[in-house]
């Protein structure tokens, strides 16, 4: 457990920087398998000193923003970062002590939790791509992130060299790249992403949507449930109910000391069918008196610019939302102070932002939830990036086989101290459920993952039925150890 008077900078020196947010335009994920414990340990010992810690990543990000504000040159400061995450199989291979105390969901792996999180049908692990084929999990992922492709490639070559010297096999590679200008920072359906991101108390100060305690992200700190992450709970979970049929089982024993300052990582390769999304919007919108652009914005809960629908609910008659984002009239809404300044208390019925929309499903903010639950207990530190080529107008919706030239989507990455309470809860209890928050609200139109179609209710307009445009094509549950934790594993 971490003392309340801890020094954030000291701890950040120990924490791998990816949780703080690399914020890079390019990422390369190398999925690897070790040969045996001895060579795995030798590999970890050699790579650990080269990994980016949280302090250098945070300092770089602050300097970068400062430089952009003053000089306007985004290329003046550049860096390349490397991190490593291990799966349950990887930790088993290195003989990690105390692995039996790790939570059930981590031991089961993402594939083992497929039924709970809705990875069935088109998202079933039997359909996943290498190296996750059939739900397989590699031992580890090396994450490289950088501003400059040549530097990133050079760094990757060095890492591959270290792998080769320790008989570490690269079993898969996944590239993630921000979309080109003017869509940089936007996901493939066209919406600005990463707009609402909670700060981690004492560790980050970006001011992009509230603050969560460090124990929601890292092991060894107070969390938002009043417990210390990784320790047996002092405040027990609620009894199963209709709202929460699967309360998170309390850890019987503390996680081992080497996990302190570590974090669990969810990695999901989510493929996006852009043509399917556009066609569905075009077909469904007229029936409920909306334009396709308005229905798409209702589905997300924001306009493509990131402007909150809560503040720009309608679209002035003189603006064609197909051509101009309605927030163009009030650009101040995109400022850091305004873009997250809403909590749904003045929109209980969802007339502005439907309760089923993606941002309200995944963060219902101040909405009153069943069983005394609050949105604050399930907030997400998202660190994902887009992958794949740009959508070309005229492409057909995905069929059975998706050509490489149309394989695009989001590499969803988030960090948390409890996958069950954070990612799994939001995906299974909120996004996938038609009755969250209330019967008839419908499923999250963007990420619900439990069957082919789902209803989505747009209050004051009507109900539509949507197909699924986002499918899981791979993924796993990882642990991102602290640097001192990696040194312990390497010994
Ligand atoms: C391809 C899949 C996805 C797409 C296209 C997508 C898109 C978006 C967009 C456009 C936003 C609004 C901008 C922002 O606040 O960042 C958003 C917010 C968010 N998304 Fe997703 N997302 C995807 C997957 C997921 C998944 C799998 C989860 C978790 C289960 C998730 C959780 C969230 C959360 C927590 C927010 C912030 C809500 C808020 O605080 O207002 N997203 N997403």
């Amino acid at each position: 457990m971490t003392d309340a008077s801890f020094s954030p900078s000291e701890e950040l020196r120990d924490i791998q920087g990816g949780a703080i947010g690399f914020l890079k335009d390019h990422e390369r994920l190398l999925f690897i398998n070790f040969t045996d414990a001895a060579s795995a340990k030798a590999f970890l010992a050699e790579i650990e000193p080269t990994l980016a810690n949280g302090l250098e990543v945070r300092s770089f990000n602050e300097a970068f923003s400062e430089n952009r504000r003053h000089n306007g040159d985004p290329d003046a400061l550049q860096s390349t970062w490397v991190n490593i995450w291990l799966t349950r199989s990887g930790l088993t291979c290195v003989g990690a002590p105390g692995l039996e105390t790790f939570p059930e969901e981590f031991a089961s792996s993402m594939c083992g939790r497929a039924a709970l999180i809705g990875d069935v049908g088109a998202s079933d692990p039997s359909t996943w791509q290498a190296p996750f084929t059939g739900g397989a999990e590699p031992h580890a992922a090396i994450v490289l992130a950088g501003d400059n492709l040549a530097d990133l490639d050079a760094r990757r070559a060095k890492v591959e060299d270290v792998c080769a010297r320790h008989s570490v096999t690269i079993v898969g590679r996944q590239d993630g790249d921000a979309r080109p200008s003017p869509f940089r920072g936007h996901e493939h359906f066209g919406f600005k992403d990463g707009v609402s991101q909670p700060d981690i108390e004492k560790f980050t100060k970006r001011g992009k949507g509230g603050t969560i305690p460090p124990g929601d992200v890292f092991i060894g700190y107070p969390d938002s449930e009043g417990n210390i992450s990784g320790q047996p709970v002092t405040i027990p979970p609620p009894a199963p109910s209709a709202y929460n049929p699967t309360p998170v089982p309390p850890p019987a024993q503390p996680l081992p000391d080497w996990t302190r300052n570590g974090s669990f990582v969810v990695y999901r390769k989510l493929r996006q069918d852009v043509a399917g999304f556009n066609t569905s919007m075009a077909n469904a919108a007229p029936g409920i008196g909306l334009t396709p652009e308005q229905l798409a914005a209702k589905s997300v809960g924001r306009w493509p610019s990131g402007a909150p629908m809560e503040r720009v609910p309608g679209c002035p008659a003189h603006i064609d939302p197909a051509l101009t984002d309605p927030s163009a009239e009030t650009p101040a809404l995109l400022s850091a102070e305004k873009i997250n300044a809403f909590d749904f208390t003045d929109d209980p019925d969802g007339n502005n932002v439907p309760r089923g929309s993606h941002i309200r499903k995944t963060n219902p903010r101040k909405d009153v939830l069943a069983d005394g639950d609050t949105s604050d207990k399930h907030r997400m530190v998202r660190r994902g990036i887009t992958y794949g080529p740009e959508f070309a107008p005229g492409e057909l919706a995905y069929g059975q086989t998706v050509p490489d030239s149309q394989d695009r989507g989001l590499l969803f990455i988030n960090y948390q101290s409890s996958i069950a309470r954070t990612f799994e809860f939001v995906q299974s209890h909120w996004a996938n459920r038609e009755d969250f928050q209330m019967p008839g609200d419908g499923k999250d139109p963007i990420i619900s993952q439990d069957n082919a179609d789902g209803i989505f209710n747009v209050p004051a307009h009507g109900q539509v039925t949507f197909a699924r445009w986002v499918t899981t094509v791979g993924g796993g549950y990882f642990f991102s150890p602290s640097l001192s934790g990696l040194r312990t594993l390497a010994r």
Side-chain angles (χ1 to χ4, degrees):
M1 174 186 163
T2 304
D3 190 83
S5 60
F6 69 90
S7 152
S9 301
E10 277 312 302
E11 304 300 346
L12 279 172
R13 268 187 234 280
D14 188 38
I15 286 170
Q16 290 201 68
I20 299 306
F22 285 145
L23 310 179
K24 297 298 187 201
D25 278 356
H26 308 285
E27 291 202 12
R28 301 290 175 258
L29 278 77
L30 300 178
F31 298 104
I32 56 171
N33 278 345
F34 306 125
T35 303
D36 53 38
S39 56
K41 282 171 186 288
F43 170 76
L44 292 180
E46 183 166 344
I47 202 140
E48 182 274 325
T50 69
L51 303 179
N53 71 44
L55 190 63
E56 53 192 337
V57 169
R58 189 182 71 178
S59 307
F60 176 90
N61 291 348
E62 286 169 359
F64 185 91
S65 307
E66 192 68 7
N67 182 64
R68 194 167 49 185
R69 252 193 312 275
H70 293 302
N71 305 326
D73 175 8
D75 295 329
L77 283 180
Q78 300 193 331
S79 63
T80 307
W81 307 124
V82 184
N83 270 188
I84 189 166
W85 315 323
L86 288 91
T87 58
R88 182 259 337 243
S89 322
L91 290 170
T92 306
C93 180
V94 295
L99 203 48
E100 68 287 352
T101 61
F102 272 55
E104 188 186 317
E105 69 276 8
F106 184 72
S108 307
S109 80
M110 184 179 283
C111 164
R113 307 287 277 185
L116 175 85
I117 58 179
D119 281 341
V120 296
S123 292
D124 190 279
S126 60
T127 66
W128 289 1
Q129 299 172 349
F132 301 97
T133 322
E137 68 175 10
H139 284 162
I142 301 172
V143 186
L144 297 111
D147 304 285
N148 176 296
L149 276 177
D151 292 349
L152 191 58
D153 275 345
R155 193 67 185 269
R156 181 172 54 77
K158 280 190 184 161
V159 169
E160 287 175 353
D161 197 44
V162 183
C163 290
R165 276 190 288 105
H166 294 286
S167 312
V168 169
T169 319
I170 297 171
V171 292
R173 169 176 156 181
Q174 178 62 56
D175 293 357
D177 297 283
R179 295 182 58 201
S181 192
F183 305 110
R184 193 168 168 272
H186 292 232
E187 50 70 43
H188 283 287
F189 293 148
F191 291 81
K192 182 106 181 23
D193 204 358
V195 175
S196 167
Q197 290 276 30
D199 270 319
I200 308 167
E201 198 183 316
K202 300 201 170 149
F203 286 131
T204 64
K205 235 191 274 170
R206 295 178 59 213
K208 294 188 84 180
T211 305
I212 55 176
D216 281 359
V217 185
F218 303 113
I219 303 299
Y221 297 84
D223 69 17
S224 56
E225 298 223 288
N227 296 306
I228 301 296
S229 49
Q231 295 289 319
V233 298
T234 48
I235 300 179
S241 66
Y243 167 70
N244 183 1
T246 55
V248 181
Q253 303 168 53
L255 288 178
D257 286 349
W258 66 264
T259 61
R260 204 182 137 267
N261 278 338
S263 186
F264 289 97
V265 181
V266 172
Y267 164 76
R268 276 163 90 69
K269 183 171 178 185
L270 298 173
R271 177 186 278 166
Q272 292 178 253
D273 180 358
V274 177
F277 178 86
N278 293 344
T279 307
S280 298
M281 294 302 155
N283 290 343
I288 58 167
L290 291 172
T291 65
E293 293 76 18
Q294 285 169 320
L295 180 55
K298 289 272 188 191
S299 301
V300 171
R302 291 186 185 271
W303 292 98
S305 62
M309 280 211 110
E310 206 55 76
R311 297 285 166 257
V312 201
C315 184
H318 61 278
I319 284 190
D320 176 356
L323 303 174
T324 316
D325 193 287
S327 66
E329 296 259 295
T330 39
L333 278 173
L334 303 180
S335 66
E337 299 74 41
K338 298 260 170 68
I339 202 159
N340 276 303
F342 61 96
D343 59 15
F344 305 127
T345 43
D346 47 2
D347 184 22
D349 298 327
N351 288 328
N352 297 346
V353 176
R355 286 190 301 258
S357 67
H358 180 55
I359 68 159
R360 200 158 176 176
K361 279 277 191 186
T362 54
N363 180 10
R365 298 184 183 225
K366 290 275 184 286
D367 283 340
V368 178
L369 308 180
D371 292 4
D373 195 16
T374 63
S375 190
D376 287 350
K377 293 182 182 170
H378 311 277
R379 293 218 52 204
M380 297 208 171
V381 164
R382 292 172 294 139
R383 304 295 187 232
I385 187 165
T386 45
Y387 78 91
E390 285 293 285
F391 173 74
E395 273 182 25
L396 297 177
Y398 288 166
Q400 291 294 349
T401 327
V402 176
D404 284 352
S405 61
Q406 294 186 28
D407 185 5
R408 62 177 69 84
L410 180 72
L411 305 178
F412 175 84
I413 295 169
N414 84 311
Y415 288 77
Q416 58 252 283
S417 61
S418 165
I419 292 177
R421 176 159 67 87
T422 309
F423 163 72
E424 286 191 345
F425 189 91
V426 171
Q427 181 73 56
S428 62
H429 290 43
W430 291 352
N432 291 354
R433 272 173 60 168
E434 226 159 62
D435 63 352
F436 178 76
Q437 300 178 34
M438 295 186 193
D441 281 353
K443 295 175 182 170
D444 181 325
I446 308 297
I447 61 161
S448 70
Q449 281 296 327
D450 56 351
N451 62 16
D453 296 334
I455 60 156
F456 172 54
N457 190 38
V458 187
H461 290 273
Q463 201 174 78
V464 290
T465 303
F466 280 145
R468 185 199 295 179
W469 318 288
V470 171
T471 44
T472 314
V473 293
Y477 290 164
F478 293 82
F479 187 67
S480 165
S482 65
L483 298 175
S484 58
L486 281 165
R487 291 195 292 274
T488 303
L489 293 177
R491 274 200 285 274

